[in-house]
Structures are given as C-alpha cells and as structure tokens.
C-alpha cells in the first residue's frame, strides 16, 4: 500500500524558513517523480514544485520560484521542501503527491499524503 | 501557463440524479502524437487528501465507482456522476498535465439537495 506522510509544518513568522518532509513507502520511491501541491484556506489546489526520480530535474511554480527548494533522498525514501522568505500568502496545507511518471515532465498525481499545515503569521 | 476554468462553481443535485461538471482549458491539451488528452479529475473531501478519479480525460482510476465518467477533448471536458450518492459530496477539480506548470481548475463544490 502506497503511503505518503508529511511532517514539518507549523507556525512561522513572515520572512522565516521551514523545511517539510514527506516519507514514502509502498512503492519504489527512486523511480517516480514527486511533487508538492498546496491549498490555501478557502482556496483551490495549487501545484508548486516537482522533482524527477533522480533529482536531476526540478520545476517550480512562479509563486515560489527562488524561495522554495525541492529535494529528495532516495536512500531514505524521503521528499523535502525547503521554504525560505515565507509570506502570509504561503499559509496553506502542503501535500506531497506521487507523479504517475518518473521524469518530472507534467503528470497527474496518483497518490497524495494527508498534508501538513503551514501558517505564516506574526 | 494553461488556465483551467470550471463551471459551475457550485452545484446542488438531488440524490440519484445526474451531476455534470465542466472544465475548459485555455489551450489545447490533446497531444497529437498519441491522441491523448492530458486532463485529470480529482475528488476532494474535507479533512482528506484529494483522490484521483479520472486521467487521460476518460480513463477511470482503479476502484473508482463506474457512476463517475469523464469525457471531452481538446479544450472542453466534463465529469459526470450518473446517479449522485451521499458520499459524493465534495469539491471536484480538473487538472491539465499537458505542460508544466500543471494547473488546476478553481474547483466545483457539489452538494446534495
């Protein structure tokens, strides 16, 4: 059974940093691209970043480019999102999601974690 | 970026009746080389992660009830629930995966009358 478990969310002040983790199990993590998708309160879903199976390719949404960094450790079956220069509008539930493909090209998401809440407020 | 626009924003349907949600993309998401539409549908219930229902515009994900069906091609797509059940109350999203950035529609909230 595929499982994705996010952690690392919490309350952070504007301008601060936070690192999210997503522990994966139940599939061969090292062969699939992985994404982060967020949902701000009362808003819809927003894809923010993807990393391919080997960590050789990454893409970012314009809203986070230059502030967020996606990475992965295939030896630990774990996905990360380093979030810097956080703003109030980054407040959201952050989901990790498994891409259907491995290369990081655009894909749909066949499995999702339960999400972790990030609140940016003073 | 490809903009995805869903209609309506909310929908109220009686139990057992048909519900149809529409999704329009600002650009064609049909890839001519394989004749596939790069369009997916998700169901999102409060407190749960989104769930994949349909991919390639009309392929139902394993385990999804057959009352859910996707249709359309090019820029215009629909998700139909043939006979609404109480457990179908949720927000539904379309998503294009023709190109990065992947983009979602704004969501359609489905409620029971």
């Amino acid at each position: 059974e595929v499982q994705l478990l996010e952690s690392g969310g919490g309350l952070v002040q504007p301008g601060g940093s936070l690192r999210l983790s997503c522990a994966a199990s139940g599939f061969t993590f090292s062969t699939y691209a992985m994404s982060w998708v967020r949902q701000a309160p009362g808003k819809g879903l927003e894809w923010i970043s993807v990393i391919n199976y080997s960590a050789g390719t990454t893409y970012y949404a314009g809203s986070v480019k230059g502030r967020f960094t996606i990475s992965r450790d295939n030896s630990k079956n774990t996905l990360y999102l380093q979030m810097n220069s956080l703003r109030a509008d980054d407040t959201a539930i952050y989901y990790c999601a498994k891409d259907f493909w491995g290369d990081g090209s655009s894909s749909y998401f066949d499995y999702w974690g339960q999400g972790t809440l990030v609140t940016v407020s003073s | 970026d490809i903009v995805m626009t869903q209609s309506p924003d909310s929908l109220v349907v009686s139990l057992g009746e048909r519900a149809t949600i529409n999704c329009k993309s600002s650009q064609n998401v049909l890839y001519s080389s394989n004749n596939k539409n790069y369009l997916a549908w998700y169901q999102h219930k409060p407190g749960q992660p989104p769930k994949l229902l349909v991919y390639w515009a009309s392929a139902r994900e394993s385990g999804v009830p057959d009352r859910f069906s996707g249709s359309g091609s090019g820029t215009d797509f629909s998700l139909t629930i043939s006979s609404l059940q109480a457990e179908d109350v949720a927000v539904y999203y379309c998503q294009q995966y023709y190109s990065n950035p992947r983009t979602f529609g704004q969501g359609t909230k489905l409620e029971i009358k």
Side-chain angles (χ1 to χ4, degrees), chain A:
Chain A
E1 179 191 5
V2 172
Q3 291 193 349
L4 300 170
L5 184 60
E6 302 93 338
S7 60
L11 175 64
V12 61
Q13 291 188 339
S17 297
L18 210 56
R19 189 176 85 153
L20 307 182
S21 300
C22 171
S25 61
F27 66 103
T28 307
F29 180 74
S30 61
T31 63
Y32 290 96
M34 296 292 296
S35 288
W36 289 97
V37 179
R38 69 183 180 184
Q39 183 180 34
K43 302 294 186 181
L45 300 172
E46 179 190 17
W47 170 83
I48 56 174
S49 187
V50 65
I51 186 166
N52 79 335
Y53 71 98
S54 66
T57 302
T58 58
Y59 294 100
Y60 297 93
S63 58
V64 305
K65 194 170 186 178
R67 300 188 299 124
F68 290 10
T69 302
I70 191 171
S71 61
R72 65 191 295 160
D73 185 337
N74 286 343
S75 69
K76 296 182 179 179
N77 288 351
T78 303
L79 174 72
Y80 303 101
L81 185 67
Q82 177 67 44
M83 303 185 295
N84 298 331
S85 303
L86 283 161
R87 311 184 301 223
D89 63 359
D90 293 316
T91 294
I93 297 172
Y94 285 74
Y95 297 98
C96 70
K98 174 184 169 294
D99 274 24
F100 181 71
W101 291 297
D103 63 359
S105 61
S106 195
S107 173
Y108 58 90
F109 312 106
D110 53 358
Y111 294 95
W112 299 65
Q114 291 291 326
T116 187
L117 177 62
V118 172
T119 303
V120 184
S121 175
S122 55

Side-chain angles (χ1 to χ4, degrees), chain B residues 6-69:
Chain B
Q6 292 180 226
S7 63
D9 291 333
S10 63
L11 188 58
V12 182
V13 176
S14 299
L15 287 172
E17 295 299 305
R18 178 187 296 261
T20 299
I21 299 168
N22 301 303
C23 175
K24 188 174 184 68
S25 58
S26 63
Q27 300 175 34
N28 182 28
V29 298
L30 172 64
Y31 196 39
S32 56
S33 66
N34 60 10
N35 200 37
K36 287 183 178 291
N37 288 282
Y38 284 52
L39 190 285
W41 289 95
Y42 301 87
Q43 177 190 65
H44 195 192
K45 296 181 180 179
Q48 297 183 22
K51 175 186 177 183
L52 176 66
L53 297 176
V54 169
Y55 54 96
W56 299 130
S58 61
R60 197 180 302 113
E61 174 71 337
S62 176
V64 173
D66 61 6
R67 64 180 181 273
F68 291 91
S69 64

